[in-house]
Amino acid sequence: DTGVSQNPRHKITKRGQNVTFRCDPISEHNRLYWYRQTLGQGPEFLTYFQNEAQLEKSRLLSDRFSAERPKGSFSTLEIQRTEQGDSAMYLCASSFGGVGNEKLFFGSGTQLSVL
Amino acid sequence: GEDVEQSLFLSVREGDSSVINCTYTDSSSTYLYWYKQEPGAGLQLLTYIFSNMDMKQDQRLTVLLNKKDKHLSLRIADTQTGDSAIYFCAETHQGGKLIFGQGTELSVKP
């Protein structure tokens, strides 16, 4: 197992375009998380899944953002009609543990630049 | 509020001890975590402490927890240049998500 894998590593897009990122978690992990990180800040929670169920979305998350985990394995995060403010590092993490024991293992992230 | 607070910068000399401090908000957090992030990389879990413990030692790392003051610290003994990175503390919130601080940038000078 090579850990959490994210693709692509970098994405440059023009404002108004749609982008999709993929995350492959550690295979036995049932929880998958998406975070966003901007320069000089800590990771900001976006959403998370337990198996295929999306359990929580941040209230800060715009309707332009949607995430799926159709078979409880890999996940995709789509951003529609991108804006310059969406430029950030998008981090995926996975875990296998009950509530209160959330050792998250992170991927290397997808760096999004919106021009 | 939901803010986990950390000081932004710490500079030490190689061989000294580093102490990174954090104030968290959720007294019901079962575990508290320290993560390390090197440039261009994701976050790496360094260590964690269960909330009913006061201290945890793991090789050069010592975590201290003061639940009354909601204060968490990470001590790195014999700091090396390879320890230069950004260190994040994180608390668990209801639903299982982690809330992170802004990070403390540790600079180790030879």
Side-chain angles (χ1 to χ4, degrees):
Chain A
D1 193 344
T2 56
V4 178
S5 175
Q6 291 188 247
N7 287 290
R9 287 296 311 273
H10 303 275
K11 178 71 178 178
I12 300 173
T13 192
K14 291 184 179 178
R15 191 176 51 189
Q17 298 293 305
N18 299 344
V19 294
T20 300
F21 311 140
R22 176 177 170 126
C23 172
D24 288 89
I26 294 171
S27 57
E28 63 268 24
H29 284 182
N30 61 351
R31 288 195 170 195
L32 186 148
Y33 301 77
W34 286 101
Y35 283 80
R36 175 172 61 192
Q37 186 179 24
T38 53
L39 200 62
Q41 300 296 317
E44 173 193 21
F45 171 78
L46 295 179
T47 188
Y48 88 99
F49 293 83
Q50 178 157 305
N51 299 315
E52 65 275 10
Q54 187 172 19
L55 295 189
E56 187 175 345
K57 285 177 64 172
S58 168
R59 62 181 183 275
L60 302 174
L61 203 60
S62 156
D63 289 344
R64 297 183 296 104
F65 287 70
S66 62
E68 293 183 343
R69 194 183 183 198
K71 296 182 181 178
S73 56
F74 74 91
S75 175
T76 57
L77 177 68
E78 182 183 16
I79 309 174
Q80 296 182 325
R81 303 181 304 281
T82 52
E83 301 172 357
Q84 287 185 323
D86 297 330
S87 296
M89 174 77 84
Y90 289 83
L91 295 168
C92 176
S94 67
S95 73
F96 182 55
V99 172
N101 182 6
E102 299 301 336
K103 300 181 196 62
L104 269 59
F105 294 86
F106 282 83
S108 297
T110 295
Q111 181 67 52
L112 173 66
S113 297
V114 181
L115 304 179
Chain B
E2 282 200 350
D3 289 346
V4 176
E5 301 281 345
Q6 296 180 241
S7 52
L8 296 182
F9 300 101
L10 177 65
S11 180
V12 300
R13 293 225 170 263
E14 195 172 20
D16 288 349
S17 291
S18 306
V19 179
I20 301 170
N21 295 301
C22 170
T23 303
Y24 62 96
T25 60
D26 190 345
S27 57
S28 65
S29 289
T30 311
Y31 287 87
L32 295 141
Y33 300 86
W34 284 102
Y35 281 81
K36 176 183 180 182
Q37 187 176 35
E38 297 182 6
L43 277 73
Q44 171 194 355
L45 177 62
L46 266 186
T47 187
Y48 60 95
I49 187 166
F50 188 47
S51 59
N52 71 351
M53 297 171 65
D54 297 326
M55 184 181 84
K56 178 180 179 181
Q57 187 148 5
D58 184 0
Q59 300 182 333
R60 292 190 299 121
L61 305 178
T62 303
V63 180
L64 295 177
L65 175 59
N66 180 332
K67 284 195 72 175
K68 175 177 170 291
D69 295 337
K70 295 181 190 170
H71 185 264
L72 183 72
S73 68
L74 174 70
R75 178 178 180 269
I76 305 173
D78 187 25
T79 314
Q80 303 297 307
T81 54
D83 295 324
S84 293
I86 301 177
Y87 291 80
F88 295 94
C89 67
E91 61 178 359
T92 311
H93 271 217
Q94 188 175 9
K97 65 180 186 275
L98 293 189
I99 302 299
F100 290 84
Q102 284 180 283
T104 299
E105 182 175 350
L106 174 64
S107 173
V108 183
K109 302 191 184 314

